[in-house]
Every structure is written in C-alpha cells, then in structure tokens.
Amino acid sequence: MTARFLTVSAALLLLAAPAAAQTSGDVLFNGFILGSCTVTVGAAGTLELDGDGNQLSSQNPGGAPATATIVTTSIGYRVDVDPPTAFTLEPAGGGTGVAYSASYSATGATILNNVLAGLLSVLGLGTTNLTIHASADRASGVFPPGEYQMPVTVTCDSLL
C-alpha cells in the first residue's frame, strides 16, 4: 500500500506543478503593398531648327531631350509615350503642314533604345530613367519665327 500511496502522490504533484514559463516568443508585423507605377516629369526638352528651316527637333544641334523617371513597386507595368499631335503654342501658321513624331530610350530597371512613340514597352521593377526626343517636320516651306511648344505624354499602364 505504501508503493501505491507514493505513486498516487507523485502523480498529484505532477498535475499540481505549474507549467514552465515561455522564455521567448515572436511578435508579428504584417503589411501589404499595392503595386504602383509613378511617373515624375523631369527636364523639359528643347526644339531646335535645322539648317533648312523645315524641322524642329530635340536631336538637331542645340536641341535637348526631355526626361522623366518612372518608379515601379512590382512587375506588370508598361510605359506608353504618346506621339505629339500638335503644337500647344505656335506663331500664326506654325503648325500648318506639320508631321509630329517622338521616340524614347530608357536606362535603369528598364533598358530601351530609340523606341518610336506609340509603341508600348514593359517596365522592369524599380527606377527607369526615360529620355524623350520629339520633332516636327514641315512638308513645305520653313517654320515662321516665334515660340513653339509641343507636349509628349508619358503614361504608366498596368499590363492587366
């Protein structure tokens, strides 16, 4: 009977003993980031007249490209550079008989070289630096003197 008493007493002691304290634990931090694509317009371009007087272009001597930066936080985006369609500022008759065009190149997360405006390009993840050239070609005659301005729109679109 003594052995039985000791066994029952030991069992009761095990049941009554407090649980061992936990010495470490993980706290959780949760987050969710939506994919995004942001276009930041940089420097304005400069159109320069060619020697014949019938082309205004950022690629003529003295001209300069426009710049923009695109930042993507996930894959699945593309860049769309719309070709210009008209001057928004011009002297009288400056936009008569004019054909407009643009092209773009990219460095950084996306590498592109001389893509015609209107053609979409898939963007890499991260920062892409765009260089945009534009030109206006007059079918006949020369451009009249005055101030000219021509917009080119850069858009970041989802592939979905």
Side-chain angles (χ1 to χ4, degrees), residues 31-135:
F32 182 76
I33 298 173
L34 291 173
S36 66
C37 188
T38 305
V39 177
T40 303
V41 174
T46 302
L47 296 172
E48 192 63 45
L49 192 62
D50 71 350
D52 295 331
N54 61 4
Q55 183 189 58
L56 282 170
S57 176
S58 60
Q59 292 182 310
N60 286 334
T67 61
T69 301
I70 299 175
V71 177
T72 58
T73 61
S74 64
I75 59 171
Y77 290 96
R78 62 187 177 191
V79 62
D80 183 9
V81 176
D82 293 335
T85 57
F87 292 116
T88 53
L89 179 63
E90 65 183 81
T96 304
V98 175
Y100 303 91
S101 62
S103 64
Y104 62 99
S105 297
T107 60
T110 308
I111 307 295
L112 301 167
N113 190 27
N114 204 29
V115 178
L116 290 176
L119 298 176
L120 304 174
S121 298
V122 176
L123 290 165
L125 175 63
T127 302
T128 297
N129 301 301
L130 287 182
T131 301
I132 303 118
H133 283 284
S135 66

